[in-house]
Amino acid sequence: MQTHEIRRRFLDHFERAGHTVVPSASLISQDATVLFTIAGMAPFKPYFLGQSTPPYPRATSVQKCVRTGDIDNVGVTTRHNTFFQMAGNFSFGDYFKAGAIEHAWTLLTAPLDEGGFALDPERLWVTVYQSDDEAIRLWQEIAGLPAERIQRRGMDDNFWSMGVPGPCGPCSEIYYDRGPEYGVEGGPVADEDRYLEIWNLVFMQDVRGESDGAGKGDFPILGPLPQQNIDTGLGVERLAFLLQGVDNVYETDLLRPIIATMERLSGVRYGAEHTSDVRFRVIADHARSGTMLIADGVTPGNEGRGYVLRRLIRRAVRAARLLGVTDPVMPTLVAGVRDLMSESYPELTSDFERIERIARTEEQAFLRTIASGSKLFEVARDELRAEETTVLPGSTAFTLHDTQGFPIDLTLEMAAEAGLTVDVGEFERLMQEQKDRARADAKARKGGFADLSVYRGLLDQGVPEFTGYSELQTEGTVRGIVVDGNLADRAGEGQIVEIVLDRTPLYAESGGQDSDAGWIEAATGRGEVIDVQKVDRKLIVHKVRVTDGELVAGSSVLATVDPEWRLGARQAHSGTHVVHAALRQVLGPQALQSGSYNKPGYLRLDFAWDAALTPDQRAELEEAANRAVRADLGVRVMYGTQQEAQAMGAIALFGETYDDIVRIVEIGGPWSVELCGGTHVEHSSQIGPIALTAESSVGSGLRRLEAAVGIEAFHRLAAERTLVSQLAGLLKVQPAELPGRVEALTERLRSAEKELASLRTAQLAAASGRLVDDAQVVGGVSLVAAALPAGTGANDVRTLATELRGRMQDRPAVVALFAPGEGSAVSFVVAVSPPAVQVGVRAGDLVKAFAPAVGGRGGGKPDLAQGGGTDASGVPAAITALRDDLAARAS
């Protein structure tokens, strides 16, 4: 049975049983404590925590998930995957243990023609929490399982919690006996390779407290939940390899074809040798995970989600190179994932061009990284050879890994080729320290998870009405006042509090648009609104500074939006849509927005693109945007289902979450159609001028545009006009003649610099002869040590030092030159002739001897070292220290 069919049967089964089918949430987690969606229940977490009221009593989904905690084990075993699909059914105070067991058993064992999976009931085992006698009884009554195929296990195995205080409960895990060829008899407690876990049923019935110790189960049970819930998770990939009659997930229909592609590209056979097999599995897993992450709006970067994606892609590329494939592989792999997964995830086809471009760009960047990292490695290798050492410090390997993205296995391989070893112990220690810091940070975030239960009662009173699309003033009632996380009756002058109204015209920050400014007035007092945010995407919460009197819960108020602020906000948000449409017009439909921010007078738009815009493209983009403004295009707002919006060609912002009914903003008909909840102008001419102010890179394959909008754009252009006028006056030309005059001045400056360089070269050449003639023999070595004139460039110092050394190649010689810089700074270069190196004189050692005299440091190779200091007055003392060191070597 194909994996797509497994998904379909699962959802159909639970839909027939009265469950609402909920589409998979994005892999980008809405939970601030984690980067990615890591479990099927994650989108329903607010319901289980009691932060939101579930809109349905029972639900089902097949959730795409990514877990990267065991990324280093991927491929080493066949049990680890980063991307997987978790099928689940959920009950929110509806059915409980009996219902969950009956649903699961029926689906697993029902014949294929009845919509089931037709698993042999005689090969199914279950485990239960050690004291859950009720579950044992239900398994026997509902499923007819004999007592010997029901095993009790402790809290570490069969008790579930989120890892923090909150809902928890016992669970039952369903296992399938794969047969004696896979291990020993005795059920799951004896062998979890033979007895494969396929489904976990969590009976969420208790509330746990803070952890009392280091163990997984060291926490108190505080009491029962107000209502009992069900959360289950069936591993789609695990069930797939059982139903497809293969040994592991890498041999299923969604991964084995990727391995086959790599067999063809590499000429290596899968299954012939363990090391190669690991590389095949890494490629298959990481290519799929990376593709799915890009599809959900993640772009490669150096932190957070972007770093994880970058690591996945680079591990896949590295594994391909170790298999002997030197040509780019990501375009082929991404296309393979699309072909295998698009039946369940059609966006892989519709958005393929963008996905493929990002993956390809990241691979190209990594290949450049390998080249630059190799150069750094070669420098370290040469220094070790000069020092007659064969162990590469772990800190060097860690730097290559952490700053260059250089995989440790590549460092180990190159070190072995150079006859070196790597201090792996130090490397692993530094890696562990980094992981500990990351883990501590994650724990802090998890422990700091905001207790939003105070808002539950406010939201249960109904979703506040947002009136700001049609008015700037609204009469409403104070539904609640929150002070330091607790409900309060009133707030007095000087306090900063959070206020929830039943109706408000003030826009809460979302969709890239900054929150409105304004005020809330009552008969008893007045407050300035300094921020507006949403809790659980529904509850509008105003942060208010009480400026006069007091605001009282339950009282009537007048909420007002600052009209100037809203005007600027509307201009900027509509301007963002216009710039996005113009961008796609200039660069093509693949230039999709991947993030934005706008506030009065300013907009910022990030978009997927792998090269800087040319001056012509920037000019064309700015003109296209302003032509749209001048055309006075109509702005129309509509509402519809996501399917209707998609049929209109509406663009959704990556990483955003949308309701079933969406708001569609259209500017100029089909020219710009986007899903958007923000505030907008009524005609494009109301946006005013748009002036691009910056275009830059914010990550691999990601660019950022910034622009001034409306009156701010006018101010920007006026300032530039004034600047041009001032320059024209200084140069005594007309503004139109400025480019020519500046170009002429620049050329004259270049010519003057060339003349100065020629004069310096002639002076240095003359000086070099005198310096060689004045060389003194110290400790059997000819020494040239001199301070050069102030202003001598660092390159000139190095050039002169190497030239002087060249004149004394026939004898042991040392050249040390010092050049004062700005203030008290000084730079220096030490060059040592080959005969001097042969008798043990090394440039780096000499630098160590005299550098303290000028408050500096430096280093380099045995024959050439350089550095700098902060005290130019110490040059005479440094020369003396150099002489003393050479003399001491001879004694």
Side-chain angles (χ1 to χ4, degrees):
M1 183 181 296
Q2 298 294 293
T3 304
H4 301 300
E5 175 67 10
I6 293 172
R7 289 169 43 93
R8 186 186 65 78
R9 282 177 178 260
F10 186 93
L11 295 174
D12 288 350
H13 171 80
F14 283 101
E15 187 173 28
R16 287 194 300 269
H19 293 67
T20 298
V21 177
V22 179
S24 173
S26 170
L27 286 170
I28 300 175
S29 176
Q30 299 298 307
D31 184 343
T33 67
V34 291
L35 293 175
F36 302 113
T37 301
I38 59 174
M41 59 76 63
F44 306 104
K45 186 175 178 180
Y47 307 147
F48 291 131
L49 287 173
Q51 296 168 352
S52 300
T53 302
Y56 27 66
R58 52 177 73 180
T60 185
S61 69
V62 177
Q63 175 63 47
K64 49 190 175 183
C65 304
V66 164
R67 294 180 188 172
T68 57
D70 293 321
I71 190 172
D72 293 324
N73 290 322
V74 170
V76 178
T77 74
T78 57
R79 300 182 62 175
H80 291 89
N81 290 117
T82 51
F83 174 87
F84 60 95
Q85 300 170 93
M86 187 63 71
N89 57 290
F90 309 92
S91 166
F92 312 106
D94 192 20
Y95 62 82
F96 197 49
K97 288 184 184 179
I101 290 172
E102 182 173 1
H103 285 310
W105 187 260
T106 301
L107 178 57
L108 290 177
T109 61
L112 295 177
D113 59 4
E114 295 180 12
F117 293 123
L119 293 181
D120 182 358
E122 299 301 317
R123 301 182 74 170
L124 293 176
W125 292 61
V126 299
T127 60
V128 300
Y129 183 54
Q130 55 194 6
S131 61
D132 196 352
D133 294 333
E134 180 188 10
I136 292 177
R137 176 179 59 80
L138 290 171
W139 279 113
Q140 291 174 328
E141 292 177 357
I142 295 172
L145 275 176
E148 60 268 20
R149 297 217 310 272
I150 305 174
Q151 297 183 324
R152 297 177 188 263
R153 304 186 84 167
M155 184 166 279
D156 285 351
D157 295 298
N158 277 73
F159 198 93
W160 176 90
S161 80
M162 293 183 184
V164 293
C168 63
C171 58
S172 278
E173 296 173 333
I174 306 174
Y175 292 79
Y176 183 83
D177 181 3
R178 303 169 70 195
E181 63 270 30
Y182 291 98
V184 301
E185 295 184 4
V189 297
D191 191 333
E192 289 198 6
D193 282 327
R194 171 175 172 172
Y195 300 90
L196 183 74
E197 179 192 347
I198 54 176
W199 206 337
N200 186 17
L201 314 180
V202 176
F203 310 131
M204 207 178 295
Q205 62 188 41
D206 302 309
V207 178
R208 59 156 283 189
E210 289 282 0
S211 176
D212 294 332
K216 179 180 176 182
D218 293 329
F219 51 77
I221 302 299
L222 304 180
L225 280 173
Q227 67 177 26
Q228 296 174 327
N229 304 312
I230 288 294
D231 159 29
T232 85
L234 175 142
V236 172
E237 282 80 4
R238 288 195 175 189
L239 185 58
F241 81 72
L242 286 179
L243 295 179
Q244 292 173 21
V246 296
D247 287 340
N248 59 70
V249 67
Y250 289 99
E251 298 177 9
T252 62
D253 60 314
L254 296 187
L255 285 176
R256 186 62 179 85
I258 300 177
I259 293 175
T261 296
M262 289 308 304
E263 287 182 297
R264 175 176 56 81
L265 294 176
S266 66
V268 179
R269 185 173 63 86
Y270 180 65
E273 190 262 330
H274 175 70
T275 301
S276 295
D277 288 353
V278 170
R279 292 166 183 164
F280 278 116
R281 291 192 286 263
V282 166
I283 293 167
D285 175 90
H286 290 5
R288 182 170 70 163
S289 300
T291 300
M292 299 302 292
L293 287 172
I294 295 172
D296 273 7
V298 182
T299 55
N302 292 325
E303 59 183 23
R305 300 182 185 95
Y307 178 76
V308 173
L309 173 59
R310 170 161 288 168
R311 190 177 179 204
L312 289 169
I313 294 176
R314 294 187 171 194
R315 278 173 58 91
V317 173
R318 173 61 185 153
R321 290 177 70 85
L322 291 172
L323 286 173
V325 182
T326 56
D327 292 333
V329 295
M330 288 309 300
T332 301
L333 294 175
V334 170
V337 174
R338 173 201 60 193
D339 296 342
L340 294 168
M341 302 288 290
S342 59
E343 183 175 335
S344 297
Y345 304 101
E347 63 270 21
L348 295 178
T349 297
S350 61
D351 201 20
F352 177 74
E353 187 174 353
R354 182 189 65 87
I355 297 169
E356 188 269 345
R357 187 181 67 256
I358 290 174
R360 168 171 40 83
T361 301
E362 180 60 23
E363 179 176 24
Q364 292 169 344
F366 181 47
L367 295 178
R368 290 193 296 269
T369 290
I370 290 179
S372 62
S374 296
K375 292 178 181 177
L376 292 177
F377 174 85
E378 289 165 4
V379 170
R381 177 200 62 195
D382 292 343
E383 290 178 350
L384 291 175
R385 286 176 175 173
E387 297 170 3
E388 300 180 354
T389 302
T390 60
V391 180
L392 185 75
S395 58
T396 302
F398 177 77
T399 299
L400 283 167
H401 169 84
D402 196 47
T403 63
Q404 296 293 319
F406 221 54
I408 183 60
D409 58 347
L410 179 57
T411 302
L412 291 169
E413 179 181 317
M414 294 177 63
E417 292 171 352
L420 304 174
T421 59
V422 179
D423 187 345
V424 176
E426 183 186 16
F427 172 81
E428 292 179 344
R429 178 180 61 79
L430 293 170
M431 286 293 294
Q432 189 59 49
E433 289 177 0
Q434 185 184 65
K435 290 178 181 178
D436 290 343
R437 288 192 297 270
R439 190 176 295 114
D441 180 59
K443 184 176 180 181
R445 290 199 310 269
K446 180 180 260 190
F449 185 79
D451 180 7
L452 303 179
S453 56
V454 67
Y455 300 104
R456 171 68 185 273
L458 299 174
L459 189 54
D460 283 346
Q461 297 176 38
V463 177
E465 178 186 358
F466 175 66
T467 63
Y469 292 136
S470 58
E471 61 187 30
L472 298 182
Q473 281 192 331
T474 298
E475 294 182 352
T477 302
V478 177
R479 185 179 287 178
I481 299 175
V482 180
V483 180
D484 296 329
N486 298 302
L487 287 175
D489 293 333
R490 61 193 66 240
E493 186 173 332
Q495 282 187 286
I496 296 178
V497 300
E498 293 175 337
I499 294 180
V500 176
L501 307 178
D502 63 339
R503 305 173 73 238
T504 179
L506 290 138
Y507 183 80
E509 180 179 357
S510 61
Q513 181 176 330
D514 202 355
S515 62
D516 273 335
W519 46 89
I520 295 175
E521 297 174 286
T524 56
R526 187 178 194 270
E528 176 191 4
V529 178
I530 56 178
D531 191 18
V532 190
Q533 297 291 330
K534 282 188 178 180
V535 173
D536 192 32
R537 298 179 53 239
K538 297 182 180 70
L539 190 68
I540 301 173
V541 180
H542 308 77
K543 180 175 284 189
V544 177
R545 179 188 293 109
V546 182
T547 56
D548 298 292
E550 64 177 7
L551 298 175
V552 182
S555 64
S556 297
V557 297
L558 179 66
T560 303
V561 179
D562 182 332
E564 283 297 315
W565 179 278
R566 173 63 72 82
L567 173 61
R570 294 168 66 201
Q571 290 176 314
H573 202 152
S574 296
T576 304
H577 284 224
V578 165
V579 170
H580 186 203
L583 186 68
R584 287 162 53 79
Q585 176 180 315
V586 172
L587 299 183
Q590 69 273 23
L592 282 172
Q593 176 180 331
S594 60
S596 67
Y597 173 71
N598 51 78
K599 63 180 181 178
Y602 171 84
L603 71 84
R604 183 183 73 212
L605 186 148
D606 296 343
F607 64 102
W609 200 252
D610 53 12
L613 298 186
T614 66
D616 287 345
Q617 287 173 327
R618 284 189 59 167
E620 186 179 356
L621 169 62
E622 191 171 56
E623 180 169 349
N626 282 290
R627 282 186 178 277
V629 170
R630 189 181 69 173
D632 196 25
L633 302 175
V635 178
R636 186 165 65 126
V637 175
M638 300 161 284
Y639 292 86
T641 65
Q642 293 194 41
Q643 291 76 16
E644 291 169 338
Q646 186 175 14
M648 293 176 61
I651 298 171
L653 182 65
F654 291 118
E656 288 290 322
T657 302
Y658 298 97
D659 296 325
D660 293 335
I661 300 299
V662 294
R663 186 170 182 261
I664 308 160
V665 176
E666 180 185 87
I667 301 177
W671 186 68
S672 171
V673 186
E674 298 191 29
L675 304 187
C676 182
T679 61
H680 288 274
V681 298
E682 296 172 357
H683 297 273
S684 64
S685 60
Q686 296 171 339
I687 296 172
I690 297 173
L692 295 183
T693 57
E695 190 261 335
S696 59
S697 170
V698 289
S700 178
L702 192 65
R703 308 293 300 178
R704 170 169 292 173
L705 283 171
E706 296 177 82
V709 186
I711 192 68
E712 291 300 324
F714 173 78
H715 290 159
R716 171 92 181 193
L717 296 172
E720 290 180 355
R721 182 182 61 191
T722 300
L723 178 61
V724 168
S725 177
Q726 290 173 340
L727 288 173
L730 287 172
L731 297 177
K732 295 180 172 53
V733 296
Q734 293 299 314
E737 298 171 345
L738 266 178
R741 176 56 64 89
V742 171
E743 184 178 359
L745 288 174
T746 303
E747 185 58 36
R748 287 175 58 185
L749 180 60
R750 288 197 193 101
S751 298
E753 289 175 343
K754 288 179 180 179
E755 291 178 12
L756 287 173
S758 298
L759 288 173
R760 280 199 304 268
T761 300
Q763 290 173 341
L764 290 173
S768 63
R770 292 194 302 272
L771 290 172
V772 171
D773 292 339
D774 294 340
Q776 298 179 354
V777 178
V778 180
V781 175
S782 295
L783 172 64
V784 173
L788 300 178
T792 306
N795 289 335
D796 292 334
V797 178
R798 184 184 178 103
T799 299
L800 180 57
T802 55
E803 181 181 337
L804 290 172
R805 179 183 61 185
R807 293 191 177 204
M808 297 185 289
Q809 290 278 46
D810 59 340
R811 60 187 185 273
V814 170
V815 178
L817 302 179
F818 299 83
E822 293 184 6
S824 60
V826 62
S827 62
F828 52 78
V829 174
V830 177
V832 180
S833 69
V837 173
Q838 290 173 5
V839 298
V841 179
R842 299 181 184 279
D845 294 339
L846 297 176
V847 167
K848 293 176 183 177
F850 70 73
V854 292
R857 56 187 298 181
K861 298 179 180 180
D863 64 338
L864 187 68
Q866 60 188 46
T870 59
D871 183 9
S873 66
V875 170
I879 293 175
T880 299
L882 174 59
R883 292 176 182 275
D884 292 344
D885 185 75
L886 287 173
R889 290 171 182 272
S891 61

